[in-house]
Amino acid sequence: MSALAAVFQNLNPVLDRELRQRSRSARSIVMMSLLLTALAGVLYIAHLAMTDNNQFGDPLSAISTGTGAVMYEWVLFAELALLLLIIPGISASAISGERDRQTLVTLQVTLMGRVSIFFGKVAASSAFVLLLLIASTPLLAVPFLVGGVGLGRILMGFVVTLCTGVIYATLGVACSAVFRRTQTATLLTYVMVFAAVAGSIVVLVVLAVIQTAQGDFTDPSRVSLYANPFVGVADAAGELNRGFDFPGPFSAIKQSMWGEQLDGGTSGVVPNWATALIVQAAIAGAWVVAALRRLRLPQREVD
Amino acid sequence: MSLDPGGPGSDGMTTVTELEQLVVDADPIIQARGLTKRYGNLTALNEFTLDIPRGSIYGIIGPNGAGKSTAFSILATLLKPTSGTARVCGADPTKAPRSVRKHMGYMPDVMGVYERLTVAEYLQFHAAAYKVPRTDWPELVHGLLQLVDLDVKADALVDRLSRGMKQRLSLARAMVHDPDLLILDEPASGLDPRARIEFRELLVALQEMGKTVLISSHILAELQRMCTDIAVIEAGNLLAAGSPKAILEQLGNGRRVKVTFEDRSVEEFSVTDLADQAALLRRLVMNNDREVVEFTEVATDLEGLFLQITQGIVQ
């Protein structure tokens, strides 16, 4: 038996079943098609914008060093944004959906533990995120061919985006375990995604206002921004001090986060993207604990 | 007595292993002692005490909200009782739920199905969840589907099956790990008469295979036909338990007689026992007002028994 066959034979039963069901679902294909169409559109618009810039803007801007990088950042930015919209939809019904279909009880009375059930669901949602990312790699390869962005940077962006997707998929599955109703779980997951994206910026603004009111005109602490999913990916996919007129979105975020630091904020042992992932994983981890408590049997009340 | 624990006593004497097995067999497969479940002011189950012998088909009957599903949920390791203890297949469902699940198959009152999964895949999934070795799956799935008469539907999608087929599939699912005990919560609800008869025959076949079946149902006639023992429960309280005959005797006032008089009027009387029945007949015959033309004992069925015992209390 090959190693790969052995892996598939010992797959978590929940993951195995979910993969089987998802591969037969038209919804997955439609979702993937829509994502790829949207990303292709973003790639085309970014290309047009950069071409126009080169024609009518600074004619000395080298298309080989600027265009590809900006196109890459916009495609990845759009992909992350779309993933953050898609992931609650695919993950927040993982366990509450089983409750709705009355299949959770029959699963819970098997010899699969709650940890195995929970992480089987997380793995299934994460596998779909991975599939979406892999499906979009040809679009990410276009900027590489245009030039201006290295393979290492593309890979780093891919990996950190995948990790971010897995964290939010975990959050969604945890919400679906904690809340009985799928609608509540989905809504709460979207609220948490919004809180991480917009709330982290609001916290920064509030801190700045408080500091200014106290006569302190230094920059406020940007710790809250590490909870923002775009910040971690920005560190992996963006570039500092590129000197172009039109930096990509991730380079702009990276510049604003760490541009003023001489070392670009990289002097610590842990890279910034890793710190961001750790902060986000810690938030999701708290929900995982609550979810596993909720799945423990016997319960005080039947679901 | 042979102390060889390895094999049967060749000298005709009972070995330690056989003795141990006899003790295990004699033990009730379910022992519930004072199980109580409260939700705030509502007592869903009150001091539920019951022994369920191995190899029996034990029916629990009671109106809606009587506490049947609560009792089943506690025994099936899903629900924690407020007080009381239980042993199911030799283990405490609250403290050692995994040990119970190894030997118990549970079929809830509503069967949920997975979309886009075939009947065979559905059973394979649960076999994997019960840690049945993958090499055993083909034979296991084939055997179970044959048992529940669904072998021709192995490649059909589960959500396309009729309700009766889904119930049979659900029963097959509960048996993928070859449990000693099956806990079936309202398995016949919503089935047409033919499906109910087939399901009943299936349960009797399972009993003959040595399984113990704990079943709840609203369809009392079904229980009467297949159950070796019954328990009647209402408003969380266990009202009676044992064989239907034993319960009638226990209640004392189980006999009813129908008397037809010469004017074709019919009256029913309750009697406690045969002597009481004879006394009633003597009294009626001696009475010159109306001549008795027919005196028959009314066969008390489970339905009649149920109506006698319960009061229609709704919590």
Side-chain angles (χ1 to χ4, degrees):
Chain A
M1 187 194 305
S2 72
L4 191 65
V7 167
F8 276 101
Q9 292 216 345
N10 294 307
L11 218 52
N12 179 306
V14 170
L15 171 62
D16 186 11
R17 195 205 71 220
E18 294 259 340
L19 291 180
R20 209 180 287 260
Q21 286 180 278
R22 221 183 273 273
S23 67
R24 293 171 186 170
S25 157
R27 190 172 163 230
S28 305
I29 297 163
V30 169
M31 207 179 277
M32 196 185 298
S33 305
L34 289 176
L35 176 79
L36 294 181
T37 307
L39 292 182
V42 170
L43 185 71
Y44 182 65
I45 291 167
H47 181 260
L48 272 186
M50 289 307 289
T51 310
D52 286 349
N53 182 39
N54 282 322
Q55 280 175 352
F56 305 110
D58 179 6
L60 297 177
S61 282
I63 192 167
S64 59
T65 57
T67 307
V70 172
M71 284 166 69
Y72 161 68
E73 287 191 30
W74 274 111
V75 171
L76 193 62
F77 186 86
E79 180 153 37
L80 180 59
L82 289 171
L83 282 178
L84 291 173
L85 284 175
I86 290 170
I87 287 169
I90 60 167
S91 62
S93 60
I95 290 171
S96 54
E98 295 254 7
R99 271 196 204 100
D100 293 344
R101 285 192 305 270
Q102 313 269 358
T103 49
L104 184 61
V105 162
T106 52
L107 187 55
Q108 286 180 299
V109 294
T110 67
L111 298 180
M112 281 191 83
R114 60 199 160 126
V115 175
S116 190
I117 294 171
F118 180 83
F119 285 104
K121 291 283 183 185
V122 169
S125 296
S126 302
F128 190 61
V129 173
L130 176 65
L131 181 68
L132 292 178
L133 276 169
I134 288 173
S136 67
T137 44
L139 294 169
L140 290 173
V142 173
F144 176 70
L145 293 174
V146 170
V149 56
L151 196 58
R153 192 171 149 203
I154 289 179
L155 276 176
M156 274 303 293
F158 182 93
V159 169
V160 177
T161 304
L162 175 63
C163 292
T164 306
V166 170
I167 288 169
Y168 281 89
T170 307
L171 192 65
V173 175
C175 280
S176 80
V178 172
F179 299 102
R180 193 171 295 205
R181 293 172 62 87
T182 300
Q183 291 95 325
T184 314
T186 308
L187 182 70
L188 256 292
T189 311
Y190 276 117
V191 166
M192 277 188 272
V193 170
F194 184 76
V197 175
S200 58
I201 298 168
V202 169
V203 169
L204 184 72
V205 171
V206 169
L207 282 177
V209 169
I210 291 170
Q211 275 187 214
T212 308
Q214 291 171 344
D216 179 359
F217 296 100
T218 58
D219 282 345
S221 167
R222 292 173 184 174
V223 171
S224 68
L225 289 178
Y226 282 96
N228 191 316
F230 287 94
V231 168
V233 181
D235 183 53
E239 267 190 326
L240 285 176
N241 308 314
R242 291 179 63 247
F244 297 122
D245 290 340
F246 297 99
F250 286 132
S251 292
I253 293 170
K254 191 168 181 175
Q255 190 71 33
S256 67
M257 279 292 287
W258 301 289
E260 289 162 17
Q261 297 174 39
L262 289 175
D263 58 358
T266 57
S267 61
V269 177
V270 182
N272 294 316
W273 58 263
T275 308
L277 289 180
I278 289 166
V279 169
Q280 290 161 39
I283 294 168
W287 280 90
V288 171
V289 172
L292 292 178
R293 283 176 66 95
R294 184 78 171 75
L295 289 174
R296 183 190 295 163
L297 285 184
Q299 293 177 347
R300 288 190 192 284
E301 284 184 38
V302 172
D303 274 326
Chain B
M1 178 187 295
S2 166
L3 291 175
D4 171 23
S10 55
D11 54 358
M13 298 180 83
T14 311
T15 64
V16 172
T17 310
E18 284 169 336
L19 267 180
E20 282 170 354
Q21 190 58 45
L22 284 172
V23 170
V24 167
D25 290 346
D27 269 352
I29 199 160
I30 294 178
Q31 289 175 299
R33 294 287 176 270
L35 285 180
T36 300
K37 183 66 189 176
R38 288 194 194 89
Y39 299 100
N41 292 328
L42 176 79
T43 303
L45 196 64
N46 187 31
E47 294 290 332
F48 184 80
T49 296
L50 191 66
D51 281 352
I52 294 179
R54 284 176 191 273
S56 60
I57 300 184
Y58 209 112
I60 306 270
I61 60 173
N64 286 333
K68 305 185 296 289
S69 291
T70 302
F72 278 26
S73 296
I74 292 171
L75 299 173
T77 75
L78 296 168
L79 192 62
K80 197 180 275 187
T82 308
S83 62
T85 58
R87 288 195 79 74
V88 178
C89 305
D92 186 326
T94 308
K95 291 174 183 157
R98 206 177 159 80
S99 303
V100 173
R101 288 176 204 149
K102 276 183 190 166
H103 304 284
M104 179 267 306
Y106 174 62
M107 183 176 161
D109 52 348
V110 181
M111 186 221 174
V113 294
Y114 294 108
E115 293 170 348
R116 298 182 292 277
L117 219 58
T118 68
V119 167
E121 286 170 342
Y122 178 80
L123 291 180
Q124 284 165 2
F125 164 63
H126 284 95
Y130 275 108
K131 318 274 185 207
V132 176
R134 188 176 275 261
T135 47
D136 296 350
W137 291 2
E139 198 182 337
L140 172 74
V141 169
H142 179 69
L144 283 173
L145 289 179
Q146 268 196 328
L147 181 71
V148 298
D149 201 18
L150 283 176
D151 40 346
V152 292
K153 294 282 181 184
D155 297 321
L157 290 174
V158 177
D159 49 350
R160 302 266 169 86
L161 297 181
S162 69
R163 189 178 169 86
M165 288 177 182
K166 281 180 186 170
Q167 292 292 83
R168 296 209 301 268
L169 178 62
S170 186
L171 183 63
R173 176 201 53 74
M175 293 193 300
V176 287
H177 58 308
D178 193 23
D180 301 323
L181 169 69
L182 287 162
I183 297 181
L184 315 177
D185 197 358
E186 303 273 358
S189 63
L191 297 185
D192 60 42
R194 173 174 286 278
R196 255 187 274 143
I197 291 166
E198 287 169 355
F199 202 83
R200 191 181 70 214
E201 286 170 354
L202 188 56
L203 293 187
V204 173
L206 287 175
Q207 188 203 16
E208 285 165 3
M209 288 163 63
K211 309 283 182 201
T212 308
V213 180
L214 175 62
I215 181 173
S216 71
S217 179
H218 283 120
I219 303 159
L220 305 181
E222 292 299 316
L223 290 183
Q224 186 168 30
R225 283 195 189 98
M226 66 180 152
C227 289
T228 52
D229 300 88
I230 58 160
V232 184
I233 183 171
E234 186 180 41
N237 294 299
L238 184 68
L239 303 180
S243 68
K245 195 180 166 196
I247 292 175
L248 278 170
E249 286 169 7
Q250 186 184 323
L251 290 170
N253 60 350
R255 284 167 188 267
R256 288 186 73 76
V257 289
K258 191 167 80 175
V259 182
T260 308
F261 296 97
E262 60 179 338
D263 58 0
R264 291 288 147 201
S265 61
V266 178
E267 280 181 39
E268 275 196 28
F269 298 86
S270 291
V271 290
T272 52
D273 50 26
L274 269 176
D276 194 24
Q277 191 173 316
L280 172 72
L281 178 61
R282 207 163 34 244
R283 207 166 53 245
L284 289 171
V285 168
M286 299 291 283
N287 190 339
N288 294 324
D289 290 350
R290 289 186 294 175
E291 193 176 329
V292 175
V293 293
E294 198 176 342
F295 186 93
T296 50
E297 186 181 335
V298 178
T300 306
D301 59 5
L302 202 53
E303 215 158 75
L305 179 67
F306 179 72
L307 289 173
Q308 275 184 53
I309 298 171
T310 60
Q311 295 166 20
I313 298 168
V314 177
Q315 291 198 95

